[in-house]
Amino acid sequence: MNNFRVWDEDARDVDVVVIGAGQAGLSGAYHLRRVGLRPDADFVVLDHAPLPGGAWQFRWPSLTYGKVHGMHALPGMELTGADDARPSSEVIGDYFTSYEDAFDLRVHRPVHVRAVREGGRGRLLVESSEGTYATRALINATGTWDRPFWPRYPGQEMFRGRQLHTAQYPGPEAFAGQRVIVVGGGASGTQHLMEIAEVAAGTTWVTRRPPVFREGPFGEVQGREAVAMVEERVRRGLPPRSVVSVTGLPLNDAIRRARAQGVLDRLPMFDRITPDGVAWDDGRTVDADVILWATGFRAAIDHLAPLRLREPGGGIAVEGTRAVRDERIHLVGYGPSASTIGANRAGRAAVSEIKHLLDRDIAPAALPGSAGETDGGPAGELTAVRS
């Protein structure tokens, strides 16, 4: 594979650029190394975040590791001995740091990718804050954390209280003695609500649809069915829904207690926001000091806009992980691979296709001395190394 070389004077040439170093990006980088590509030579990993840990580093302190649902280990290295009482941001941040070090992934951070464009000669140009890369393939693993979704309602700009999104949630202590409206029926909304209810003067839960609580076990069969529903949407070029949106909320002891106490008594979505709270057209009003929007996130893919990958339905059509409109681009952690276990599998699948693409393109005129060169041994082998 090729080392960096000058590309049109200012672009560095690599085989693969990985954008994002959360679970999906690190999985992709691991599998790139495993098939024989070298970090900082054949591929580069660019991460917008200041530290290892992906979006986990920004989670609120009260989200301890014991409250995390289904954190799956990265490929090749288990997460063991974690303290359930420790903030998940710290546990997973330390784990990702160790992982990057163990497999010598050489993540570049903080690096902001501004745009990905067609570069000619079969290359994509990745324009970033540390320069431009010309790449033969791209793994986009940017997740959703940078694109919180804020619904718009009449009167929103007139509200005299505070409005914030899950992405800014500081923990329950910040709401002590206040009247809080939590908007959103997902896992974050219920977690916020149950925490805040213990310290607030009052809470109100508002959701667009009645929440669905899931009784009983959620096994492999149910998991495959849920992923298939999300996968069908992205195959049709529709914006992906989260896997959680089709699985429902699991009933646990904490949720059962909150329901019995009336904390999870839900109201339908209000019609407008007033200076002092919210109102419905039937005359009902609720006063509030804070509106907390636990309304989810959207895929952070605006940097791909110059490639015109979106379908009329608003999403990027994906077959497996590969963008239907451009075989060089793989979206990992998008749609059905947004879960931690899904991201691991998607990283492996994306790299398998990318390897075929690279081998196909280079086969007519293979570069001398390129086969099987890795930092850790022959192609296909990967040894953990620590600097």
Side-chain angles (χ1 to χ4, degrees), residues 146-161:
D146 290 333
R147 282 206 62 200
F149 174 63
W150 292 75
R152 303 303 303 172
Y153 278 86
Q156 197 160 3
E157 68 284 353
M158 304 298 292
F159 181 60
R160 287 194 285 254

Side-chain angles (χ1 to χ4, degrees), residues 16-17 19 116 124 126 137-140 304 328-330 354:
V16 186
V17 171
I19 306 177
V116 181
L124 297 163
V126 180
L138 177 76
I139 294 178
N140 190 84
L304 301 179
R328 298 168 297 178
I329 299 170
H330 287 258
I354 286 171

Side-chain angles (χ1 to χ4, degrees), residues 341-361:
I341 189 170
N344 282 0
R345 293 170 176 168
R348 180 174 64 246
V351 169
S352 177
E353 288 200 34
I354 286 171
K355 184 65 163 57
H356 286 305
L357 174 70
L358 299 181
D359 290 346
R360 184 192 71 199
D361 288 350

Side-chain angles (χ1 to χ4, degrees), residues 21-23 49 51-61 63-65 67-72 87-93 95-96 145 340:
Q23 184 104 9
L51 298 169
W56 291 100
Q57 66 193 276
F58 305 113
R59 306 293 173 132
W60 47 99
L63 182 63
T64 57
Y65 185 65
K67 296 179 182 178
V68 172
H69 298 297
M71 171 64 195
H72 195 76
S88 60
S89 58
E90 297 178 7
V91 171
I92 298 173
Y95 172 51
F96 281 21
W145 187 260
T340 55

Side-chain angles (χ1 to χ4, degrees), residues 25-314:
L26 293 183
S27 173
Y30 169 90
H31 287 291
L32 288 171
R33 284 216 59 202
R34 191 163 186 178
V35 299
L37 276 70
R38 299 163 296 169
D40 269 354
D42 305 317
F43 74 90
V44 64
V45 184
L46 310 177
D47 190 31
H48 178 64
L51 298 169
W56 291 100
Q57 66 193 276
F58 305 113
R59 306 293 173 132
W60 47 99
S62 57
L63 182 63
T64 57
Y65 185 65
K67 296 179 182 178
V68 172
H69 298 297
M71 171 64 195
H72 195 76
L74 287 159
M77 183 176 170
E78 292 295 320
L79 170 56
T80 59
D83 180 357
D84 282 353
R86 192 179 177 206
S88 60
S89 58
E90 297 178 7
V91 171
I92 298 173
D94 287 350
Y95 172 51
F96 281 21
T97 298
S98 298
Y99 190 87
E100 292 178 16
D101 178 48
F103 295 109
D104 191 29
L105 299 179
R106 308 186 194 181
V107 178
H108 297 212
R109 64 167 56 89
V111 177
H112 176 60
V113 173
R114 293 186 290 267
V116 181
R117 307 180 189 278
E118 181 59 58
R121 292 168 57 186
R123 300 298 200 266
L124 297 163
L125 294 181
V126 180
E127 300 172 359
S128 79
S129 57
E130 72 169 15
T132 300
Y133 291 90
T135 184
R136 299 166 67 192
L138 177 76
I139 294 178
N140 190 84
T142 46
T144 62
W145 187 260
D146 290 333
R147 282 206 62 200
F149 174 63
W150 292 75
R152 303 303 303 172
Y153 278 86
Q156 197 160 3
E157 68 284 353
M158 304 298 292
F159 181 60
R160 287 194 285 254
R162 182 163 54 119
Q163 297 185 62
L164 70 162
H165 191 274
T166 288
Q168 304 158 314
Y169 180 68
E173 296 81 8
F175 305 94
Q178 296 184 313
R179 299 163 299 174
V180 183
I181 297 172
V182 177
V183 183
S188 294
T190 55
Q191 288 176 5
H192 297 338
L193 190 64
M194 290 187 294
E195 289 186 343
I196 293 170
E198 296 183 3
V199 299
T203 59
T204 303
W205 190 25
V206 178
T207 69
R208 193 158 51 92
R209 292 185 296 268
V212 177
F213 293 98
R214 188 184 71 241
E215 289 273 13
F218 188 79
E220 186 175 345
V221 173
Q222 293 90 343
R224 283 200 302 266
E225 290 173 351
V227 169
M229 292 174 66
V230 180
E231 192 169 28
E232 175 60 21
R233 283 183 62 85
V234 299
R235 188 180 293 115
R236 290 159 49 204
L238 297 173
R241 295 174 62 190
S242 70
V243 174
V244 172
S245 71
V246 296
T247 62
L249 295 165
L251 268 176
N252 54 35
D253 290 343
I255 287 181
R256 288 189 179 93
R257 284 195 301 270
R259 293 179 78 181
Q261 295 165 357
V263 172
L264 296 182
D265 289 346
R266 166 258 180 193
L267 293 177
M269 201 64 210
F270 46 76
D271 296 296
R272 60 190 178 279
I273 299 175
T274 69
D276 300 313
V278 298
W280 288 258
D281 287 343
D282 62 7
R284 177 169 39 189
T285 62
V286 171
D287 290 342
D289 304 298
V290 180
I291 301 175
L292 173 56
W293 298 93
T295 45
F297 299 80
R298 299 293 183 263
I301 52 176
D302 288 351
H303 54 286
L304 301 179
L307 299 174
R308 299 185 177 180
L309 300 175
R310 289 187 187 269
E311 302 294 333

